[in-house]
Each structure stands twice: as C-alpha cells, then as structure tokens.
C-alpha cells in the first residue's frame, strides 16, 4: 500500500488565510454594530427633540382632556387647530393621534381616523410611557399606515406619549412621521466613515500581523535549515572520519605499489600511471570531504582583498595558461580592506576560479573584478567566465551539498564557499546561462 507524503505545515499561508477571514469578520461585525449604534442614537436624539417640542405644546394648550372623548367628529374639531401645528412642522409628512386604547383620534389623513392598526409594538411602547422611534422607506412598508401620497426615500416614525401629569398616566400618543433628509445624510456619511475607518484599520492590522508572521516564518525556516545543516555536517563528519581512517592506508599501499610498478615494469607504465592518478583523485575527495565536514571558523582580520585575489591568480597562473584562458583583472584601485579569514577566503577564491576553469576546457575568458559598495559598507568581488554555463533547471540545486554537474566532482565546493562567505556576514550569489557563461558575485563586509 502506497504511503502518502506528509504535507509540510505552511505557517505563512495558513496565517494569511485565517487572519484575513478573522479580521474581515471582526471588521464587518464591528462596522455593522457601530453603524446601527450611530443610526439609532442620532434618530433617538432627533426624536427626543421632537418629543420635547410636542409635549411642551400639549402642556401649554392643556390638550390631555381631548384624549378622553370617544367622539371622532368632536375630536377632529378639537384637535384640528392644535395638531395642525405639528403636521405643518418642517420635515413632517404625517401626524396621527392615538387614544389610550390605540385607536386613531385624529390624523391629517381622514382615512385613518377611527381605525386601529395592530400589531404595533412601537405604539404599545409609547402607551407604556416611553419614547419609541423607528425608521424605514415608503417603498418597503412594514405597516398598513406607511402609505404616503408621494414616495419618500427615508422617514423616521416617532411615537410620543402624552401624559396627564395630575393623574400621572399616559392618556394618548402622538405619532409623527418625519423626513429628516439632513439627518439621514449625516447618518449615511457617518456610516460610510465607520465602514471606511474600520476597513482601513483592518487592512493595517492584517498587513502588520502578516509582516510579523512573515519575518517569524523566515527566521523559523533559517533555523530549520541551520539545524538540518548542523545534523548533516555531524553525520558527514563521522562518515568522513570513518572513510579517511579506513581508506587512506589501503590507498597509500596501492599508490606505493603502483610507483614501484612504474619504475620496475615499463610494459605496465600506462596502467601504473592511471592507478596513481585515480588514487590521488580519491585522496583529493577524502581531503575535500574532511574540509567540508568541519565548520568554517577561522580568525577574521583586516585583509587586503586585491592582494589576496592577485596571489590566488598567481598560484593558478600555470593552470590558466594551460587551458588557454584569457585573464582580465578589474580590481578597485582603492585596495579595500575586508574583515575575513585569509585562509578561508583563499580557499573560496581557488574553488570558484577552479570551477570557472573547468567550465572552459577549450579556452575562454576569465574576468575577476572588485569594487567598493559604499552604501552597504561591503566589497563586491565578481568572477565571470565564458564557459558552458549552467542550465536554468539546475540553478536552484547548485548550492546543495553533494550536487554537482561535473563528472569528477563531489559537489561540496560551492556549498562550502557559500557557508564560508555567509559566516563572514557576506552574500554569495550566482548568475548563469547555458552556453554563455557564469558570473559569481561575492559581497564581503568592509573592515572597520
């Protein structure tokens, strides 16, 4: 039975999705609640002002006795002069007067006089002595009395209790329909501001948290890579020590025997030379493996990078001429000093230049340059060749240990060079194009 490959936990992707949904939901809910709160309070405040005005008139005119009659005709006559003042108030489109039983005693629309509309929770609230207010549109009527002669975009429905102060009871209710366009415009603007500020705040919070988690994910990934690298190096070190101990002595015996055969058996000269060459190659592999398995520590100091480059090129001069490679040097005349270990940096330069020479077996051009990057307080060293280059599909693997494109390599040179440069606080990167060439960029901190 096939075993499914376990998916790795992607912290950034999970956080991006879940935090976006959570912050979006919180933003929407809080905006909705704040909008409702703003709308309710602004309508309530307008209703309180209207109530105080109506109740003041009612007390001044002593209209409480009018609510105790059951004769609609008499009510119409008595209320006409008084409540017409309310019906003609600015923004008022209708006024109804209810008695304590919930029947309409007077209305500016004669069709409603004597009728009783139920259920009407706002009217019941007002009859209990509390101000009641609601809002709506004439196009979406929720009550039978919400019928107007003309279409209105918004209206506020206010139920105002009328008290008999002597007996301390509610004797009736005045219902006022208002179209406060200015108020509704202010409410609309306020709601828009609430949603906009909440949305921008949510986006800012999401972006801030995303940046923090992204940085945390990068740190975790680097720590995981360092942990894997440390475990790998420990395993490689043990393996390299075992290999070196077990193979070097037999290799030395094989090489000695081949050297004897080379001197005493001329017919086997070619075979003996091949044996010596191959044993030397195995010895080089073992030495390279031992060097790679040890952590690159060294003793950093101020060294002149141009001098180090020049001496390294001088030591490889014979190999450069042997391969018919043209050497071009473009070194910074300021002779910058870098903070690095000379032995380790020499190893890096030799490894990278050797790779460039291997990529040009039939000749080519090798360019080595250096320049100061003042903005970053670093020195950039560039090694460029016109060799075979690296295919684009292999570029993401070139710094992995034991991956190589050469038939006679172990694949630890670039990986070790990258480790050394990064341990010095620098950066090593590579650009390449198949059949065009490869360019290696080293950015090394300047000495202070």
């Amino acid at each position: 039975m096939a075993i499914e490959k376990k998916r790795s936990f992607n912290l950034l992707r999970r956080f991006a999705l879940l935090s976006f949904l959570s912050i979006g939901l919180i933003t929407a809910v809080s905006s909705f609640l704040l909008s409702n709160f703003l709308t309710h309070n602004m309508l309530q405040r307008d209703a309180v002002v209207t109530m105080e005005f109506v109740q003041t008139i009612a007390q001044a005119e002593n209209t409480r006795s009018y609510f105790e009659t059951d004769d609609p005709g008499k009510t119409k006559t008595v209320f006409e002069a008084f409540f017409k003042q309310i019906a003609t108030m600015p923004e008022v489109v209708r006024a109804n007067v209810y008695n304590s039983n919930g029947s309409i005693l007077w209305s500016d629309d004669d069709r409603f006089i004597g009728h009783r509309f139920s259920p009407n929770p706002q009217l019941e609230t007002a009859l209990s002595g509390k101000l009641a207010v609601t809002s709506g549109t004439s196009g979406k009527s929720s009550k039978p009395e919400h019928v107007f002669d003309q279409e209105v975009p918004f209206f506020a429905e206010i139920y105002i209790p009328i008290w008999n102060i002597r007996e301390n009871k509610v004797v009736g209710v005045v219902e006022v329909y208002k179209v406060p366009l200015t108020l509704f415009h202010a409410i609309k603007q306020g709601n828009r501001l609430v949603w906009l500020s909440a949305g921008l705040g949510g986006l800012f919070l999401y972006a801030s948290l995303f940046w923090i988690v992204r940085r945390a994910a990068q740190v975790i990934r680097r720590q995981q890579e360092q942990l894997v690298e440390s475990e790998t190096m420990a395993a490689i070190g043990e393996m390299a020590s075992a290999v070196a101990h077990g193979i070097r002595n037999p290799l030395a015996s094989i090489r000695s025997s081949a050297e004897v055969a080379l001197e005493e058996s001329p017919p086997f000269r070619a075979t003996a030379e091949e044996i010596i060459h191959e044993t030397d190659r195995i010895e080089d592999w073992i030495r390279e493996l031992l060097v790679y398995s040890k952590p690159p520590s060294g003793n950093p100091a101020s060294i002149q990078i141009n001098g180090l480059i020049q001496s390294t090129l001088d030591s490889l001069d014979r190999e450069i001429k042997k391969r018919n490679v043209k050497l071009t040097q473009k070194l910074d005349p300021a002779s910058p000093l870098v903070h690095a270990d000379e032995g380790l940096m020499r190893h890096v330069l030799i490894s990278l230049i050797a790779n460039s020479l291997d990529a040009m077996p039939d000749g080519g051009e090798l360019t080595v340059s250096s320049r100061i990057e003042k903005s970053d307080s670093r020195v950039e060293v560039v090694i460029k060749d016109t060799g075979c280059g690296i295919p684009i599909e292999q570029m993401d693997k070139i710094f992995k240990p034991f991956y190589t494109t050469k038939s006679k390599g172990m694949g630890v040179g670039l990986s070790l060079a990258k480790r050394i440069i990064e341990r010095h606080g620098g950066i090593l990167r590579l650009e390449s194009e198949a059949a065009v060439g490869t360019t290696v960029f080293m950015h090394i901190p300047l000495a202070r």
Side-chain angles (χ1 to χ4, degrees):
M1 189 174 83
I3 300 176
E4 293 185 2
K5 187 177 180 181
K6 187 177 180 181
R7 279 187 174 183
S8 60
F9 181 79
N10 192 318
L11 173 64
L12 189 60
R13 184 182 301 170
R14 294 287 183 90
F15 171 80
L17 178 61
L18 293 178
S19 63
F20 181 81
L21 294 176
S22 301
I23 293 175
L25 180 61
I26 293 173
T27 300
V29 171
S30 60
S31 298
F32 176 77
L33 294 177
L34 285 173
S35 295
N36 283 352
F37 177 80
L38 176 65
T39 301
H40 174 75
N41 277 270
M42 292 186 74
L43 287 174
Q44 191 75 16
R45 181 56 189 165
D46 183 71
V48 168
V49 173
T50 304
M51 179 186 69
E52 291 174 348
F53 176 75
V54 172
Q55 288 183 340
T56 300
I57 296 177
Q59 291 177 10
E61 297 291 335
N62 194 23
T63 57
R64 61 183 182 275
S65 60
Y66 301 161
F67 290 90
E68 299 174 356
T69 179
D70 295 326
D71 184 356
K74 182 179 179 181
T75 302
K76 170 73 173 174
T77 304
V78 172
F79 283 178
E80 188 72 35
F82 169 65
F83 285 105
K84 210 161 189 180
Q85 300 179 55
I86 298 175
T88 56
M89 285 172 55
E91 300 179 338
V92 173
V93 294
R94 171 168 301 160
N96 297 324
V97 180
Y98 296 84
N99 62 15
S100 58
N101 294 324
S103 297
I104 296 181
L105 294 177
W106 179 89
S107 174
D108 60 351
D109 189 335
D110 294 342
R111 295 174 297 173
F112 296 144
I113 297 177
H115 288 276
R116 181 175 182 176
F117 298 102
S118 61
N120 193 335
Q122 287 79 24
L123 177 60
E124 295 174 1
T125 299
L127 288 173
S128 67
K130 299 177 182 178
L131 175 68
V133 58
T134 185
S135 62
T137 62
S138 59
K140 298 180 180 179
S141 302
S142 59
K143 297 180 181 178
E145 67 268 28
H146 290 176
V147 179
F148 301 97
D149 295 334
Q150 58 181 355
E151 196 78 12
V152 293
F154 302 100
F155 66 84
E157 184 181 8
I158 306 171
Y159 289 83
I160 303 168
I162 302 298
W163 289 83
N164 185 332
I165 300 177
R166 293 178 181 177
E167 299 179 8
N168 194 26
K169 68 176 183 178
V170 176
V171 294
V173 172
V174 173
E175 179 187 19
V176 175
Y177 288 86
K178 298 182 66 176
V179 183
L181 296 179
T182 303
L183 175 64
F184 278 110
H185 179 70
I187 291 174
K188 187 176 180 180
Q189 292 282 66
N191 289 338
R192 186 182 294 116
L193 182 60
V194 166
W195 282 92
L196 180 62
S197 58
L200 292 177
L203 286 175
F204 176 76
L205 176 62
Y206 176 77
S208 302
L209 293 177
F210 183 84
W211 180 82
I212 293 173
V213 174
R214 183 171 177 269
R215 287 297 299 264
Q218 291 175 345
V219 171
I220 292 172
R221 184 168 60 252
R222 285 196 298 268
Q223 291 176 343
Q224 287 177 336
E225 291 173 353
Q226 291 174 358
L227 180 61
V228 171
E229 181 184 357
S230 299
E231 293 177 349
T232 303
M233 290 303 103
I236 291 174
E238 294 178 3
M239 181 186 70
S241 299
V243 169
H245 180 75
I247 292 181
R248 272 180 163 172
N249 289 336
L251 278 179
S253 299
I254 293 171
R255 196 179 194 285
S256 298
S257 300
E259 288 175 347
V260 172
L262 182 65
E263 294 177 359
E264 298 181 358
S265 302
F268 299 100
R269 184 178 183 84
T271 303
E273 288 179 348
E274 182 65 21
I275 291 173
I276 293 173
H277 175 72
E278 292 301 323
T279 53
D280 287 343
R281 188 155 67 92
I282 294 173
E283 178 66 26
D284 289 340
W285 280 358
I286 293 173
R287 188 181 302 108
E288 191 174 8
L289 189 62
L290 286 171
V291 171
Y292 183 76
S293 63
K294 296 177 182 178
S297 53
N299 297 307
S302 296
I303 61 173
Q304 192 181 67
I305 190 65
N306 286 355
L308 182 61
I309 294 172
Q310 188 64 59
S311 63
T312 303
L313 291 173
D314 290 343
S315 67
L316 296 172
D317 183 66
R318 183 178 178 182
E319 188 70 20
I320 292 172
K321 290 178 179 178
K322 179 182 176 181
R323 293 176 183 261
N324 194 28
V325 172
K326 178 185 176 182
L327 176 62
T328 302
Q329 299 183 56
K330 299 178 181 179
L331 304 181
D332 195 313
S335 298
L337 296 177
V338 298
H339 184 70
D341 179 83
E342 184 174 353
L344 293 176
M345 290 304 302
R346 186 182 300 276
H347 177 85
V348 171
L349 289 170
I350 291 174
S351 178
L352 295 176
I353 294 172
N355 284 345
S356 295
L357 295 177
D358 290 340
M360 299 182 290
D362 301 324
E365 183 177 359
L366 176 66
T367 303
V368 182
S369 63
S370 66
R371 71 179 183 90
I372 298 177
E373 298 177 304
K374 293 183 178 179
S375 59
D376 297 323
S377 299
R378 298 185 303 192
V379 174
E380 181 187 59
V381 178
V382 181
I383 301 172
K384 181 179 181 182
D385 64 63
T386 57
C388 58
I390 302 172
I392 190 171
E393 62 271 11
Q394 297 178 356
M395 287 295 293
D396 59 340
K397 303 176 183 177
I398 56 175
F399 289 114
K400 291 184 178 180
F402 305 109
Y403 179 82
T404 180
T405 58
K406 297 187 290 186
S407 59
K408 295 184 179 181
M410 287 193 66
V412 297
L414 275 177
S415 179
L416 179 59
K418 188 172 187 293
R419 287 177 64 201
I420 291 173
I421 295 298
E422 289 180 349
R423 289 291 175 90
H424 284 81
I427 299 172
L428 177 68
R429 60 187 182 90
L430 186 147
E431 295 178 0
S432 185
E433 185 176 350
V436 175
T438 302
T439 305
V440 180
F441 299 88
M442 289 188 293
H443 302 272
I444 311 165
L446 282 168
R448 296 182 180 178

